[in-house]
Amino acid sequence: MITISAFKWVPPMVQGFVRDLRVRWACEEAGLKYRTLLIGPGDQASADYRARQPFGQVPYFEEDGLVLFESGAFVLHIGERSETLLPKDDVERARAVTWLLAALNTVEVVVQPLAERDLFFPNEQWAKDRRPVVEQAVRKRLAELEDALGDREYLEHRFSAGDLMMSTVLRLVTPDTGLMEPHPKLAAYHARCEARPAFQRALRDHMADFEKR
């Protein structure tokens, strides 16, 4: 069975954002059973954990002796067994992979710094001073993404691993920022992705693990 590492607990403001959510969602879309290995800070520093995740992060993925790290790698690996995530058609498949990488390398790298400032350093002067520049970069990237989406329901003609990854990245643009308000098509797209039953199951189980503490 697939094993996914996840935190025993994180502060409420971070719950729902830890990246094991992406892997859970992929497993749910693919119909694959998994279990979670709940860890704490001490576990992250252990030699055993570092052998599986060299940077001590969450999550790692293990199945039948195969150990992977990095959420994008997990989703692509799981997608190999799910046409929902990675279409069989070569062109559609390549486009899905392109969007997955765009989510990580083009969008997340812009929205993550804003989320970190707002979640972890809201009262630090350096964060306040830099925030307008970071926010402007997010506004630009969201506008570009909405233009690329156009009138489609998903980034391509149907849901894929690219949408899964992109919508988890968009979760970092929290409602309190108001940054999604100028982009109703993008907001509707995000809501559409998160309305999928597989996401709802993944989020439910992600949040439930924090209650086991």
Side-chain angles (χ1 to χ4, degrees):
M1 180 181 290
I2 292 170
T3 298
I4 301 166
S5 67
F7 286 123
K8 294 177 181 177
W9 185 84
V10 293
M13 63 184 178
V14 183
Q15 294 176 13
F17 296 95
V18 187
R19 289 178 177 136
D20 63 276
L21 177 61
R22 298 170 174 176
V23 195
R24 295 171 190 257
W25 186 4
C27 286
E28 293 288 351
E29 292 285 358
L32 300 177
K33 293 183 179 180
Y34 67 91
R35 67 184 181 94
T36 52
L37 175 68
L38 301 182
I39 68 164
D43 299 304
Q44 289 178 270
S46 71
D48 181 66
Y49 193 83
R50 292 284 174 144
R52 291 168 170 79
Q53 220 300 353
F55 304 105
Q57 298 172 323
V58 162
Y60 77 72
F61 171 105
E62 186 168 5
E63 182 184 25
D64 298 331
L66 172 66
V67 181
L68 300 173
F69 58 96
E70 292 298 327
S71 61
F74 308 151
V75 174
L76 288 174
H77 178 71
I78 293 167
E80 294 291 339
R81 285 177 273 177
S82 169
E83 194 174 359
T84 298
L85 295 173
L86 289 180
K88 290 183 180 179
D89 178 84
D90 288 344
V91 173
E92 293 181 7
R93 185 186 189 88
R95 294 290 295 175
V97 172
T98 297
W99 279 115
L100 182 147
L101 295 175
L104 296 174
N105 297 335
T106 303
V107 181
E108 187 172 48
V109 295
V110 173
V111 302
Q112 180 78 24
L114 183 66
E116 290 176 350
R117 281 167 171 78
D118 289 352
L119 288 173
F120 302 118
F121 309 107
N123 299 317
E124 297 289 336
Q125 191 59 49
W126 65 264
K128 294 178 182 179
D129 292 343
R130 183 66 180 168
R131 194 182 187 284
V133 176
V134 178
E135 180 180 311
Q136 186 57 38
V138 175
R139 289 184 183 278
K140 179 177 182 293
R141 196 50 42 90
L142 292 179
E144 292 168 339
L145 181 58
E146 186 173 63
D147 286 345
L149 176 66
D151 294 324
R152 293 189 300 275
E153 290 191 349
Y154 297 107
L155 294 170
E156 296 295 323
H157 73 280
R158 69 171 181 81
F159 179 85
S160 76
D163 298 293
L164 184 155
M165 193 62 69
M166 189 66 76
S167 57
T168 60
V169 169
L170 291 177
R171 285 180 66 77
L172 296 171
V173 187
T174 55
D176 58 289
T177 66
L179 294 177
M180 289 289 279
E181 292 178 6
H183 307 291
K185 291 181 181 179
L186 192 58
Y189 158 76
H190 186 209
R192 190 177 302 117
C193 290
E194 293 200 343
R196 294 179 66 84
F199 174 80
Q200 293 297 318
R201 292 192 298 270
L203 181 62
R204 177 199 64 203
D205 292 344
H206 172 82
M207 298 299 289
D209 274 348
F210 298 126
E211 298 173 5
K212 297 176 183 177
R213 180 173 178 240

